[in-house]
Amino acid sequence: MNGQTAWSLYENRLRRVSAYIHDHLDEELDMERLADIACMSSYHWHRIYRAIYGETLAATVKRLRLHRAAGDIVRTGLDISEIAKRSGYPNLQSFNRIFKSVYGMPPARYRKEGSHTVFEPSISGKATAMFDVTLKTIEPIELIGVPHTGSYMQISKAFETLFGTLYARGLASPGMRMIGVYFDDPDIVPAEKLRSVACVSADETIAAEPPFVRQSLSGGEYAVLRHKGPYADMHKAYQWLYAEWLPVSGRQLRDGLMFEEYLNNPRDTAPTGLLTDIYMPLV
């Protein structure tokens, strides 16, 4: 077996495990089963996974389930006990304890007082939040990425494939910018049809071989809002930009893509400390 074939098999194993985790979050995820999917012994596979992704398989499952749970709490009226069950927790008490340890407050309180609530309209009908929006002129950005179709809350699946492949091919670099490109309005397009690409900055020296595609972002002026907090809150920040900032800014939108740049890593940063720059293209 030559080196290229060996790397290809390794990439495919990473991809299979990552896809299985994302597609079966509602189920009991047995670590031995995941090792079987990788076609390796549990003893070796768990160490390989941690070396590539920087966290254990169990930590990945916990993080993704809580991320989805936070989205359900913010975006739906589902009962907290139902969200706990859907997230794989045996009882509400254990879910409350784990959620609080990560998000800083129990889920019921988070629904009422979480960081997303600063974007909610007040009695006067205006949002209470005020954010600094910076105007930036940027050069065009060249990217490679992995396409994703489906809920934007699930783009992490594409990012897992992106970074797993980059590390398996020896292409990962600390200087790469982590960027999400979003093509559709989630308030108009059904969740299952939303299109996005999980990207990193990369020049032409990195080949856009599958599963990679090449993506470009136009240069020019952008309004940039820095959002601090869980990714589940991001849609509220977009609503604020469009409904509150844009009408009073005196600026007009340019026909270009909005994108997000993720400034720290959700694997080693608490959800409340996540920093994201949202870029809105301006004329």
Side-chain angles (χ1 to χ4, degrees):
M1 179 184 295
N2 61 40
Q4 185 175 1
T5 303
W7 277 124
S8 176
L9 289 173
Y10 192 56
E11 289 176 29
N12 289 335
R13 292 176 183 188
L14 288 167
R15 205 172 302 156
R16 285 201 306 269
V17 171
S18 179
Y20 188 88
I21 290 172
H22 283 82
D23 294 341
H24 295 81
L25 284 176
D26 290 344
E27 304 171 14
E28 182 68 28
L29 287 169
D30 180 77
M31 296 299 110
E32 294 295 331
R33 169 62 178 151
L34 295 177
D36 288 343
I37 292 168
C39 299
M40 293 185 70
S41 71
S42 175
Y43 178 85
H44 290 298
W45 177 248
H46 291 171
R47 287 162 174 78
I48 291 171
Y49 185 93
R50 185 169 189 171
I52 292 293
Y53 288 113
E55 67 181 358
T56 64
L57 279 163
T60 296
V61 172
K62 174 185 173 182
R63 176 172 55 81
L64 292 176
R65 282 178 169 168
L66 289 178
H67 167 69
R68 188 180 66 177
D72 288 342
I73 291 168
V74 171
R75 296 168 180 254
T76 77
L78 285 174
D79 189 81
I80 299 298
S81 60
E82 180 62 28
I83 295 173
K85 182 179 179 181
R86 185 169 182 252
S87 301
Y89 288 88
N91 56 66
L92 183 58
Q93 291 72 26
S94 61
F95 177 64
N96 285 343
R97 184 178 65 255
I98 297 299
F99 191 92
K100 181 180 178 180
S101 71
V102 175
Y103 282 81
M105 60 183 74
R109 182 182 167 196
Y110 182 78
R111 174 169 275 170
K112 296 179 180 179
E113 304 175 18
S115 53
H116 61 283
T117 60
V118 299
F119 296 98
E120 299 291 348
S122 64
I123 297 175
S124 66
K126 295 292 185 179
T128 57
M130 290 299 294
F131 296 92
D132 289 331
V133 176
T134 304
L135 299 180
K136 291 184 180 180
T137 300
I138 68 171
E139 296 296 320
I141 305 174
E142 295 300 320
L143 309 166
I144 58 168
V146 173
H148 171 71
T149 301
S151 169
Y152 289 158
M153 284 288 289
Q154 297 171 358
I155 195 175
S156 57
K157 181 177 181 179
F159 273 112
E160 298 280 347
T161 297
L162 171 65
F163 283 104
T165 306
L166 285 171
Y167 279 104
R169 295 181 183 178
L171 299 174
S173 167
M176 287 177 164
R177 300 166 66 182
M178 183 176 169
I179 291 174
V181 181
Y182 302 90
F183 298 96
D184 301 306
D185 183 344
D187 291 328
I188 298 174
V189 178
E192 66 273 12
K193 295 183 179 180
L194 292 171
R195 299 165 301 147
S196 55
V197 186
C199 301
V200 292
S201 56
D203 58 30
E204 297 291 337
T205 62
I206 296 182
E209 298 176 355
F212 296 151
V213 297
R214 200 165 292 285
Q215 179 69 49
S216 298
L217 295 171
S218 62
E221 191 170 25
Y222 288 80
V224 183
L225 182 153
R226 177 158 296 182
H227 176 272
K228 182 178 181 180
Y231 297 143
D233 302 349
M234 297 290 287
H235 71 295
K236 297 286 187 179
Y238 278 83
Q239 290 173 356
W240 183 87
L241 266 175
Y242 277 101
E244 301 290 331
W245 182 82
L246 189 61
V248 300
S249 69
R251 303 303 300 269
Q252 295 183 7
L253 290 174
R254 172 163 47 92
D255 186 15
L257 294 171
M258 292 190 72
F259 65 93
E260 299 170 4
E261 180 171 7
Y262 310 103
L263 305 179
N264 46 17
N265 191 333
R267 295 182 184 279
D268 54 29
T269 304
T272 52
L274 293 171
L275 295 175
T276 307
D277 280 348
I278 302 172
Y279 283 72
M280 171 186 279
L282 301 174
V283 173

